[in-house]
Structures are given as structure tokens and as C-alpha cells.
Amino acid sequence: GAVVSQHPSRVICKSGTSVKIECRSLDFQATTMFWYRQFPKKSLMLMATSNEGSKATYEQGVEKDKFLINHASLTLSTLTVTSAHPEDSSFYICSAREGNRPDTQYFGPGTRLTVL
Amino acid sequence: DQQVKQNSPSLSVQEGRISILNCDYTNSMFDYFLWYKKYPAEGPTFLISISSIKDKNEDGRFTVFLNKSAKHLSLHIVPSQPGDSAVYFCAAGGGNTPLVFGKGTRLSVIA
């Protein structure tokens, strides 16, 4: 099946620094990429949707200036957590969709961010 | 407003028996439903899906049933195996919209 990678898998940073997470579709072109955040024992919360070459669409309550999303190509999207705070510590998961159908959406392995 | 609900946070089943995970949805515009399996610190992996034009889809030990009138779907795993122990997420989508996930059900299969 289609493979989505994320890098890094784990990152620990100091409060106030910025962290970039990369999401790549390895064997397909992703017309749309999604960024999710999962809190402990909670569901996957959609943060934003991005299409290649255009600005991301953020869900209500997600600060676009804090969570910068760049979808530079059909195989790469990046999420930058700017001026990270301990409350940003979470498990971030990206997803890439090959077509327009829900069953063509594939998930990355996730990135564990810990902000000290 | 939770559009996809998984009301059982956890389920324990003996090895070899049937596991039934339930999911309810409220948005009648959803026309595709998926089940994902997730281990801790990993991304979700796709298990099985069903479109709204069907009421059943089977893949090996996994069967998904859809009851559109009740806006309810269920995932049956039989026979259950210890390796099936994980969190199972129900997700729903329609057209070009992002998937909406339930909160998940933690399945424990006891040997």
C-alpha cells in the first residue's frame, strides 16, 4: 500500500524554540495533505488541510501563525510549531490523500513532540 | 458536536471469540466509512472500509456492517487474536472533505 513517512519520529525541544516536522508521500503524489494532533486517550483532531501550492485551511481554534504549514510539492508537507510551549507537547500525525476519495487517505507514523 | 461516536472506550474479549466494535454517526452526508487500527506512538493503519451503497464488507477475519437507517456501523473480528489488541478508530468521510474520527475503542484480546 501507499507509504507516508514523517521525520523526526520524536523531538524534544526547549520552550520558545521552533520545531519543523516533515511529511512525505513516498510512492504516490498527494493532492491533499492533512495534519492531525492526538491528545492522550483522545481522538485524532484535524488541525489543517493543505493542497499543494496553496495556503492551508485551518480548523477552528487552531492558530495558523503558531502552526505553519507549507505544502511545497505533491510529496512534501511541513508543519512548523513556532515558539513552542509545553502545552504544544503532543503526538502529531500527518496524512496524505492520493485522490479525492476517503479510502485514498494514508497516514504517517506520527511525531512525538515534547516541549520542556 | 461529535459527528462520529464510539461510545465504548474499551472492550475485552477472550482469544478466539468475536470482537464487535460499534460506531454511530450523525451526518447523513457521509458516504464512506473506514476502520483504522492504532498502536501507541504509531500512526493509524487502515483496516477495512465500506461505502454507503453497501451494507457489508468482509476481508478475512474482519467484517464491517453498515446500517444507514440507524446511522450505525460495526466492525466484527472473528476469531479474535492477541495481536488484535490495539485502539480501533472509526472514521467517516464524504466527497472531498477530511475524514472525521471517533474517539476510539481500546480492544484487549486476552489469551
Side-chain angles (χ1 to χ4, degrees):
Chain A
V3 178
V4 177
S5 70
Q6 272 183 250
H7 178 80
S9 57
R10 304 175 71 93
V11 57
I12 300 173
C13 69
K14 292 182 178 180
S15 187
T17 61
S18 294
V19 174
K20 181 186 281 189
I21 303 170
E22 287 187 353
C23 176
R24 293 181 186 272
S25 57
L26 297 186
D27 51 1
F28 67 98
Q29 292 188 325
T31 52
T32 308
M33 286 188 168
F34 307 90
W35 286 94
Y36 293 82
R37 181 175 178 177
Q38 185 181 23
F39 294 96
K41 298 183 179 180
K42 298 283 188 181
S43 183
L44 299 167
M45 184 194 81
L46 179 66
M47 299 175 66
T49 302
S50 73
N51 293 293
E52 183 260 341
S54 60
K55 288 184 178 180
T57 302
Y58 290 81
E59 296 299 302
Q60 192 173 11
V62 178
E63 299 175 59
K64 62 180 181 181
D65 294 330
K66 180 166 186 62
F67 298 100
L68 300 179
I69 292 172
N70 184 3
H71 193 160
S73 75
L74 285 172
T75 59
L76 173 65
S77 176
T78 59
L79 168 68
T80 302
V81 183
T82 62
S83 187
H85 289 282
E87 57 265 30
D88 299 326
S89 298
S90 192
F91 192 59
Y92 293 86
I93 304 172
C94 79
S95 178
R97 190 168 69 193
E98 185 173 14
N100 288 328
R101 285 173 38 175
D103 61 335
T104 63
Q105 186 173 340
Y106 308 101
F107 287 82
T111 297
R112 169 71 62 191
L113 170 64
T114 303
V115 184
L116 302 176
Chain B
D1 176 35
Q2 220 180 320
Q3 297 187 68
V4 178
K5 300 178 184 178
Q6 292 177 257
N7 292 320
S8 297
S10 62
L11 174 68
S12 288
V13 172
Q14 285 279 340
E15 180 181 6
R17 308 292 282 263
I18 185 171
S19 296
I20 300 176
L21 298 101
N22 293 301
C23 178
D24 298 293
Y25 62 96
T26 57
N27 189 341
S28 56
M29 298 300 290
F30 290 142
D31 61 6
Y32 217 90
F33 306 90
L34 308 93
W35 284 95
Y36 288 86
K37 180 178 179 180
K38 187 181 181 301
Y39 294 110
E42 292 184 12
T45 54
F46 170 75
L47 258 184
I48 192 169
S49 64
I50 188 168
S51 75
S52 59
I53 62 173
K54 293 187 174 183
D55 55 18
K56 176 183 175 182
N57 188 25
E58 192 172 351
D59 183 2
R61 296 186 298 115
F62 302 92
T63 303
V64 56
F65 295 92
L66 175 63
N67 182 335
K68 281 181 62 180
S69 60
K71 292 193 176 69
H72 176 84
L73 63 152
S74 60
L75 173 67
H76 293 212
I77 306 172
V78 57
S80 302
Q81 299 173 355
D84 296 330
S85 297
V87 177
Y88 289 78
F89 286 96
C90 169
N96 208 21
T97 59
L99 292 175
V100 178
F101 284 83
K103 289 188 175 181
T105 297
R106 180 176 301 279
L107 173 65
S108 299
V109 180
I110 304 161

